[in-house]
Structures are given as C-alpha cells and as structure tokens.
Amino acid sequence: MKHIRNFCIIAHIDHGKSTLADRLLEYTKTIQVTSGQMLDDMDLEKERGITIKSHAIQMEYTYQGEKYILNLIDTPGHVDFSYEVSRSIAACEGALLIVDASQGVQAQTISNLYLAIENDLEIIPVINKCDMISAMPEEVEDEIVELLGCKREEIIRASGKTGMGVEEILAAVIERVPYPQGSDEAPLQALIFDSVFNSYRGIIAYFKITNGVIKSGDKVKFFNTGKEYTADEIGVLKMEMVPRKELRTGDVGYIISGIKTSKEVKVGDTITHVARPCEKAIDGFEEVKPMVFAGVYPIEAEDFEDLRSSLERLQLNDASLTFQPESSLALGFGFCCGFLGLLHMEIVQERLDREFDMNVITTVPNVSYHIYDKQGKMTEVHNPGGMPDSTLIDHIEEPYIKSSVITTTDYIGPIMSLCLGKRGELIKQVYISGNRVELHYSIPLGEIVIDFYDKLKSISKGYASFDYHMSGFRPSKLIKLDILLNGESVDALSTLTHVDNAYKLGKRMCEKLKELIPRQQFDIAIQAAIGSKIIYRETIKAVRKDVTAKCYGGDISRKRKLLEKQKKGKKRMKQIGNVEVPQKAFLAVLKLD
C-alpha cells in the first residue's frame, strides 16, 4: 500500500491538463502516445478539444530503485462538468493544480482548488506551457503563492508539449502525496466513482478501495441499493481493462458483475461483502443538483420508450444528468431533464444523436422556481406549464448564484454593464495582481442560463473566466409570458421572466417567430401575452392566390364578389388549419440575440 499514489489533475478549461497527462503516460512507458489527448476517447471531446468525462488510468514508475503504482484521473475543466471533478477528487489523496503560464489563475482554477482543499487533498502546483513565448512564469508564481500560501520552490515549471518538468512532477507525486490509509483486515469498503455501459457485459463500475480486499468470484453487495452480485471479473484500468485475481486497499479498479439495469448502480455508492459487510457507507459524496431544466421530446411519438432507455444508458456514463417523464400539448410525451449548465445540455443532445441515434426537440431551458400560494404552501416548478393560476400565487422565489469573474482591468466596464443588465448586484471587487481583477456578483440563475457565458467571452475577447455556485432563493417579481398562435397558447414557448424584461422579450420572440414560421393559406397572428393581456403582436400574411386574374375589364363588383368568396374560404381554413412550428423556431428562441 505504501507504493500506491492516487492523484487527479485539476485546472481551468484549456490549461493543458490532457496534454500533460499524455506526457506522464509516455514517460512512465504506459503507452506510446500516437496522437494528442490519448485519454479523451469520445469523438465529441476530440472535435471540441475539451474533456467531458473524467478518465482513470494506472501507471507504473520506478523511483529511487523502488516500484510505485500511480493511479491518475484526468478531469474536465469547464464549470458545467464540476460534478465529474468532485467525484474524481473523492477517489484521490492528491491533486496536481495546473495553471497556464500565459493566462494565470482563473475562476475555475480557484473553484476546483477549493473542492480539493475541502477533501483534504495534497496540492502540487504546476505551471504549464512554460515553453510559450507569451509565458510569464514569474507573475503566475506570485499568484499561486498568494492563492495557496506555498513556498516558491514547491511550484513546478512544466510544459506538456516539450515534456519539460515531467520527471519533477512524478517525483513530487511520490514524495508529497500521502499513500492511501486503510486496512486490508477491515471489512470491504469501496467507493464507486464512475460507471460505463457495455452492451455485451452489462454495467461496469469503477471503484477505489478504502478498506479490505476484493477477490474475483466474491459475493458483494451495493450498500445503498442493497442488491447482491457476484464479482465475475475485477481488474485495473490501463488503456484497456486488465483483469486481476484480487485488489487490495488503496487500489483503483473496475468490477463486472452482469448488472443489466442502470438504476442498480449509483455513483457514490459503497461496495462491500455479503458475508462480512461494513457498518456504514463511505461519506463525502454529494447528490447532484441540476441547475438548468429543459424538456426533451422525441420527434416521432413512438420513439418515447427508445428515448427513455437512451437517457438511462447515458445517465450511467454521466451521473449529473437527471430526468423524469412529462407531457406537453404541443410536443406530446417526453422528459423533463436537469442539466448542470448550457454546455452540458448541448453535449447531452449531441451524444443522444451520435451514440443512440435519437432525434430530439429541446424546449427553452428554465431553472427551478419556488412558488408560494396564499396558504403558504410551496411548490417547486421547473417549467412555466406547471405554474398554478396567477390568482392563487402569493409570491415567487427564484434561485440566485454567487459568481466570480476574473478579468484584466481593460474589460471591467463592459463586464459590469453586462452583469447589471442581468439584474446582478456587485458584492466586492478584488485586485489580484498586476492588472487582474476579480469581481464578485450576486445574479439570478435564470438570467445567466441562456447566453451570459457567450456574451462574457465576446466582450472580454476571451480574457474573462467565470465560475459560480448556488447561494439560495430570493423573492422576485416574475411573470409567465405566453406565446399565442391564432389565439392558441404554445406551451413549449412559454417562459418565466422578470416584469421589467417581459415586453422586450415578448417583442423579440414574436419578431423571431414571424421570420421562422412558414406562410400558410391564411393569416397567422403571433401574440405575446401576460395572463389575458396581449402585450405585442405580429401577423404573418397569408399566401394569396390571385383569384381576380381572370376578370379583365367589366364592373368592379365582379372582382369584389370573387374576393368576398375567397375571404370566406380563408376564414373557414383558419378554423380548421393548424400552424406547424418548425424545430428551428424552438432553438432560435434560445439564441434571441
């Protein structure tokens, strides 16, 4: 056990975690690196150049004549995948904190660092990309010393591209990261930190053993679900899965026990023996809290069950996705899904399409609101369709977040006006070092859900980083904005919005829909309404056939008679005709700007 080290890599997005992980794998001769980012095996990860899943891999390294086993977990850096990071941290004793030499400490660096400190991990600071011309290692070292309170000589300068500093990183991991504590004699306790679905072998769970020993063929049970299984195969994770006869305390490995249903494997559950169970589950694991809710509906109604099984399988691989069935008048049966953010929602949509061949419509994303009625009873509402009648509502509370934006002083003005436009309140402003500043804002979560991150990146030319966490609920003046097509409400386009923004949003939605809905044989009225009050209207003119073409000359009454006849036909058509809203329209409403 003294020769095992479990550590993860944490950093802000684009600071070179995966490239550095490649160098570590290459240096320890675990694999021959043929192309970049060997651990990012999903097509989406390669295309976008981001890590979406945490990836675990075992390396062997000889240091000062002794052989060590190093278990490395590469984690994502985007704020939407911080749940993946929290799970990886629970399975480690140490973390490499990577900071880009040309960008310095950024918002996500700080939030991931706090996650690691809460779990008592040993932090090894590394400055990456030191080979770049724009690198400023001295300034970045100052920032890290201020942030961590460590000594300058503890910071390692490295480069994922050239391989500089890799030896020092491996030496630091072995010397500074504590070996796993626990006893082989105690009852088995193993924490499940991830799971994947394999269509031939069922569900494969990845775990880290805190106490005890597990052997192939043992009878095991999952503590929280209480289900019992036989460990058909156990082993360690290299580039492929390598079977082993037994795994001991401190090891990270996988278990295959022929589980077919996804509900039986809960990430964060504890594995123990049936014959000699442990007394309590491993703590330090928290339930996922979705931030953004959206309806996901199959385009063909008969694909509903296929969509359910696709979501269940995807949930195994991505435990931060939550879903429950719901129905909509416009779109039929579907699911209300909870996501950690907009990027997460986009990735889930892409993965449904690529991995499961599911074509889906996604509604406007919403956050969850607390609605109190006159009796003081609270209901939690995720979509405007679930709102009670406005006469019964006493007040509505919306979720607020505490956000931190780190940027250079040149962009403070535009960023402040962006946050104020989103009903943000400035809490404090801290100068970090040189010309870098950290702004702390309290903002309603509903305001940042749709386009805040994109706008922030564009006004700061990519020099601002953003991170947030929930801070609770506050009362707010919110109203439901309905969109009516020919007097019929389209529930998939309803939104909850602040009183001050209602007119502007209604107007923009109507104008956008006018562009996107194809013209019919009759006039279509597009209206934005609050309750029974119409606040804005656009009309899509009918496609007209020139019925008077055959009347040339003669009395005007002949033409009038034909036009009257056509008018009656259009009226009848309007009563039976229904307006098709294309999928493009639902998506365009998300990106109104």
Side-chain angles (χ1 to χ4, degrees), residues 1 182-188 210-213 248-249 273 276:
M1 215 164 68
S183 148
D184 285 352
E185 309 304 318
L188 175 68
T210 315
N211 280 310
V213 177
R248 312 185 76 81
T249 305
H273 279 130
R276 189 172 159 228

Side-chain angles (χ1 to χ4, degrees), residues 395-408:
H395 68 280
I396 302 177
E397 289 187 347
E398 65 174 335
Y400 267 73
I401 55 162
K402 275 207 174 91
S403 64
S404 80
V405 180
I406 295 183
T407 180
T408 53

Side-chain angles (χ1 to χ4, degrees), residues 202-461:
I203 290 158
I204 304 168
Y206 298 164
F207 62 83
K208 177 207 171 191
I209 302 177
T210 315
N211 280 310
V213 177
I214 184 171
K215 293 190 171 89
S216 181
D218 278 359
K219 284 254 182 270
V220 294
K221 77 167 183 181
F222 288 12
F223 203 88
N224 289 341
T225 55
K227 295 271 171 57
E228 300 184 359
Y229 308 99
T230 306
D232 298 335
E233 183 186 305
I234 57 168
V236 295
L237 299 156
K238 300 227 167 169
M239 256 342 249
E240 278 82 37
M241 295 187 287
V242 184
R244 291 281 156 90
K245 285 276 177 280
E246 69 167 25
L247 293 174
R248 312 185 76 81
T249 305
D251 280 332
V252 172
Y254 69 90
I255 178 169
I256 299 176
S257 44
I259 306 169
K260 288 283 182 278
T261 48
S262 51
K263 287 197 177 65
E264 294 177 25
V265 179
K266 287 252 190 298
V267 171
D269 203 346
T270 303
I271 304 175
T272 186
H273 279 130
V274 173
R276 189 172 159 228
C278 57
E279 286 169 20
K280 65 181 184 51
I282 301 168
D283 53 356
F285 181 81
E286 50 190 64
E287 274 294 304
V288 55
K289 294 188 195 74
M291 300 277 192
V292 178
F293 296 88
V296 173
Y297 294 86
I299 287 178
E300 299 297 330
E302 58 265 26
D303 293 344
F304 177 71
E305 282 305 322
D306 294 349
L307 179 60
R308 183 198 295 273
S309 65
S310 304
L311 281 168
E312 278 177 358
R313 280 203 228 151
L314 191 56
Q315 195 178 32
L316 276 176
N317 205 288
D318 178 359
S320 47
L321 170 70
T322 59
F323 64 92
Q324 60 198 52
E326 68 166 11
S327 65
S328 139
L329 292 172
L331 301 169
F333 289 101
F335 294 93
C336 172
C337 297
F339 307 97
L340 294 180
L342 272 203
L343 177 70
H344 185 211
M345 177 172 135
E346 208 177 302
I347 296 291
V348 167
Q349 248 177 300
E350 278 274 306
R351 288 182 71 183
L352 280 172
D353 183 27
R354 289 181 185 205
E355 294 170 30
F356 305 100
D357 210 16
M358 290 297 313
N359 267 335
V360 293
I361 291 178
T362 314
T363 62
V364 182
N366 275 300
V367 297
S368 61
Y369 296 96
H370 289 173
I371 295 178
Y372 290 84
D373 60 15
K374 299 273 170 40
Q375 282 77 42
K377 197 165 125 270
M378 190 272 284
T379 43
E380 194 172 301
V381 171
H382 301 316
N383 64 354
M387 267 190 66
D389 190 50
S390 54
T391 51
L392 305 172
I393 298 173
D394 182 52
H395 68 280
I396 302 177
E397 289 187 347
E398 65 174 335
Y400 267 73
I401 55 162
K402 275 207 174 91
S403 64
S404 80
V405 180
I406 295 183
T407 180
T408 53
T409 44
D410 317 347
Y411 305 111
I412 291 182
I415 288 173
M416 280 186 158
S417 52
L418 171 70
C419 293
L420 289 171
K422 297 284 184 189
R423 299 191 283 132
E425 297 163 15
L426 181 66
I427 302 170
K428 63 175 177 179
Q429 180 175 338
V430 186
Y431 283 87
I432 306 174
S433 65
N435 67 339
R436 290 162 60 87
V437 64
E438 184 176 9
L439 304 168
H440 291 264
Y441 269 94
S442 177
I443 306 179
L445 179 60
E447 291 281 342
I448 67 151
V449 155
I450 292 181
D451 55 4
F452 180 81
Y453 198 70
D454 300 345
K455 281 186 175 169
L456 180 72
K457 282 287 176 206
S458 60
I459 61 177
S460 66
K461 301 192 173 65

Side-chain angles (χ1 to χ4, degrees), residues 22-272:
D22 282 353
R23 287 295 85 72
L24 292 170
L25 295 176
E26 201 172 38
Y27 198 84
T28 55
K29 299 187 175 57
T30 308
I31 49 165
Q32 289 286 302
V33 176
T34 48
S35 62
Q37 281 79 28
M38 293 296 285
L39 291 179
D40 291 351
D41 47 13
M42 220 185 289
D43 290 345
L44 265 176
E45 294 183 313
K46 290 192 170 105
E47 278 169 31
R48 289 170 177 246
I50 56 175
T51 305
I52 294 168
K53 289 282 305 153
S54 298
H55 301 273
I57 191 162
Q58 189 180 87
M59 307 181 285
E60 288 173 4
Y61 183 60
T62 308
Y63 178 69
Q64 293 179 354
E66 293 191 35
K67 198 167 151 197
Y68 288 88
I69 288 176
L70 311 175
N71 290 310
L72 153 75
I73 303 181
D74 178 24
T75 65
H78 195 281
V79 62
D80 279 11
F81 303 112
S82 52
Y83 183 68
E84 286 280 330
V85 182
S86 72
R87 284 170 21 202
S88 311
I89 284 175
C92 294
E93 282 84 33
L96 293 179
L97 178 74
I98 301 210
V99 182
D100 187 325
S102 57
Q103 308 234 0
V105 171
Q106 296 198 295
Q108 200 57 28
T109 318
I110 297 174
S111 78
N112 284 347
L113 171 70
Y114 287 152
L115 265 179
I117 291 173
E118 273 169 36
N119 283 289
D120 292 337
L121 264 61
E122 179 62 40
I123 311 286
I124 300 173
V126 177
I127 299 180
N128 195 18
K129 305 191 187 180
C130 285
D131 59 319
M132 285 174 67
I133 303 164
S134 57
M136 9 170 241
E138 301 295 329
E139 289 92 323
V140 177
E141 268 184 11
D142 292 340
E143 288 180 22
I144 294 176
V145 168
E146 201 168 310
L147 183 68
L148 280 175
C150 61
K151 297 189 178 74
R152 259 180 189 279
E153 53 272 18
E154 287 176 13
I155 303 171
I156 301 167
R157 293 189 185 186
S159 160
K161 201 179 235 173
T162 61
M164 152 192 173
V166 172
E167 244 177 285
E168 289 100 81
I169 291 174
L170 289 166
V173 167
I174 290 166
E175 285 170 6
R176 296 194 220 165
V177 174
Y179 58 84
Q181 302 295 327
S183 148
D184 285 352
E185 309 304 318
L188 175 68
Q189 265 185 320
L191 173 77
I192 300 178
F193 66 87
D194 205 351
S195 59
V196 290
F197 181 80
N198 182 312
S199 43
Y200 301 106
R201 317 211 52 184
I203 290 158
I204 304 168
Y206 298 164
F207 62 83
K208 177 207 171 191
I209 302 177
T210 315
N211 280 310
V213 177
I214 184 171
K215 293 190 171 89
S216 181
D218 278 359
K219 284 254 182 270
V220 294
K221 77 167 183 181
F222 288 12
F223 203 88
N224 289 341
T225 55
K227 295 271 171 57
E228 300 184 359
Y229 308 99
T230 306
D232 298 335
E233 183 186 305
I234 57 168
V236 295
L237 299 156
K238 300 227 167 169
M239 256 342 249
E240 278 82 37
M241 295 187 287
V242 184
R244 291 281 156 90
K245 285 276 177 280
E246 69 167 25
L247 293 174
R248 312 185 76 81
T249 305
D251 280 332
V252 172
Y254 69 90
I255 178 169
I256 299 176
S257 44
I259 306 169
K260 288 283 182 278
T261 48
S262 51
K263 287 197 177 65
E264 294 177 25
V265 179
K266 287 252 190 298
V267 171
D269 203 346
T270 303
I271 304 175
T272 186

